[in-house]
Amino acid sequence: MPLAIPHGHPTLFIRKDAFEQSGIMRAALDERLGLTADEFRVEGDLVCVGPIPADDAMQDLIAELEEAGLIHFEHFFDLSGNWPEWLKLFALGARMA
């Protein structure tokens, strides 16, 4: 089932297998970013983190993923949240062959 992506704040998408192999712990992200259960969602092969309220928090998270060996656009992707409220976006991970 596709995940609804809220506007107004950035959201980060991570391939589930890459997140699991990164060694980054969900509990640590939850604590550092103050995430609720609805702000760390997993659907199929996709992990969705956000909305993330502060821009610097997103940059720190991207840096942490890169330090763990993940590659931007290959293993994770970010959306700015900068789209109008009347536009609804949904995300769904696709298996790569």
Side-chain angles (χ1 to χ4, degrees):
M1 167 128 305
L3 298 168
I5 311 306
H7 76 286
H9 294 290
T11 302
L12 187 75
F13 303 92
I14 311 166
R15 295 174 77 180
K16 184 179 174 187
D17 59 343
F19 180 77
E20 290 172 346
Q21 294 171 8
S22 73
I24 298 171
M25 303 304 296
R26 176 187 174 170
L29 288 180
D30 287 349
E31 183 178 329
R32 184 163 35 98
L33 299 173
L35 300 176
T36 67
D38 291 337
E39 294 169 336
F40 189 106
R41 300 174 287 165
V42 178
E43 179 62 40
D45 295 330
L46 187 66
V47 174
C48 178
V49 181
I52 298 173
D55 289 336
D56 56 338
M58 175 63 88
Q59 295 307 317
D60 292 345
L61 182 52
I62 288 172
E64 182 177 355
L65 293 171
E66 289 175 337
E67 287 172 14
L70 277 64
I71 300 169
H72 206 169
F73 287 93
E74 185 173 330
H75 299 119
F76 66 94
F77 179 78
D78 58 298
L79 286 177
S80 68
N82 189 20
W83 57 83
E85 186 175 352
W86 54 261
L87 180 63
K88 301 296 180 199
L89 297 181
F90 296 87
L92 181 65
R95 282 212 169 257
M96 303 298 288

